[in-house]
Amino acid sequence: MSKPIEIEIVTLLEKGDKKAISLLYENYADALFGVISKVITDPEMAQDALQETFIKVWKKAKTYDASKAKLFTWLYRIAYNTAIDKVRSSSNKTKKEVQIQDSNVYKLTSDGLNQDVMDIKKHLNTLDDKYQIVIQALFFEGMTQQEASDELEIPLGTIKSRLKIGLRELKKIYDPQ
């Protein structure tokens, strides 16, 4: 059975009442910060992730379904995914620093590149949106199938099916027979 405060928060969230955020913060911020801190060791970055979590909670408030998950479970997932995204974003920024002296970009010839694959994003745009979204998440954003399922709020089996169909459609473009 839900606690009275949970019921009140859920009711306020459903109504779009901003008081819900202050109650959420009062009652769950410490626990969510603990979740985030297990993923992010930098306290400042963890605080940013906590703030982003509450922004996402507010934006997704209408999607919360008490029959699918307890309030804390829903909040936990959002906090955990936000922390993971923050770590990925941070590590991607670090990886993008270019070392010119070590780069072999000027030594590349077009012979070594598969010209057909160079335009994959253009061909991806020819697919139905539902396939594009899944392929984008898995291949260009580096999500696992489970992470894509959680983030896109699509069942895991549907993610797998859409991936298979999307790749089959792309194969028709690149290998028409």
Side-chain angles (χ1 to χ4, degrees), residues 2-168:
S2 296
K3 297 177 191 170
I5 191 70
E6 284 181 30
I7 295 167
E8 183 179 352
I9 291 171
V10 171
T11 304
L12 291 170
L13 282 173
E14 288 171 350
K15 291 179 186 175
D17 189 327
K18 291 180 181 176
K19 186 178 179 197
I21 287 295
S22 60
L23 285 174
L24 279 168
Y25 196 86
E26 259 176 53
N27 291 281
Y28 294 99
D30 291 341
L32 295 177
F33 187 73
V35 168
I36 291 167
S37 295
K38 296 239 185 272
V39 177
I40 301 173
T41 53
D42 178 335
E44 196 171 301
M45 188 188 281
Q47 276 294 344
D48 287 347
L50 181 64
Q51 184 174 0
E52 287 175 30
T53 297
F54 280 103
I55 291 168
K56 287 180 182 179
V57 165
W58 180 248
K59 286 181 178 177
K60 294 181 177 188
K62 301 261 190 250
T63 66
Y64 173 67
D65 183 353
S67 68
K68 290 184 179 176
K70 290 186 176 191
L71 181 61
F72 182 74
T73 304
W74 184 68
L75 295 169
Y76 173 93
R77 274 202 208 115
I78 293 172
Y80 183 77
N81 288 337
T82 301
I84 295 289
D85 291 346
K86 196 100 172 129
V87 168
R88 278 194 186 135
S89 171
S90 173
S91 70
N92 283 342
K93 285 178 188 167
T94 306
K95 288 178 188 173
K96 288 180 184 172
E97 291 178 10
V98 178
Q99 302 297 322
I100 299 293
Q101 66 274 16
D102 297 337
S103 176
N104 65 355
V105 73
Y106 300 108
K107 299 174 193 167
L108 285 179
T109 63
S110 61
D111 300 338
L113 299 174
N114 183 343
Q115 297 298 320
D116 293 338
V117 180
M118 298 292 285
D119 59 357
I120 191 147
K121 286 197 176 192
K122 179 182 85 177
H123 290 300
L124 186 61
N125 290 335
T126 64
L127 300 179
D128 284 348
D129 285 346
K130 60 186 177 184
Y131 306 124
Q132 280 185 44
I133 290 167
V134 170
I135 291 173
Q136 181 75 29
L138 297 174
F139 290 99
F140 296 106
E141 295 176 23
M143 292 183 192
T144 65
Q145 290 179 352
Q146 184 62 56
E147 288 168 340
S149 171
D150 293 342
E151 186 69 28
L152 300 172
E153 297 176 351
I154 299 172
L156 183 58
T158 305
I159 292 285
K160 291 178 181 195
S161 297
R162 289 182 183 174
L163 173 62
K164 184 177 179 182
I165 294 166
L167 290 176
R168 185 172 52 214

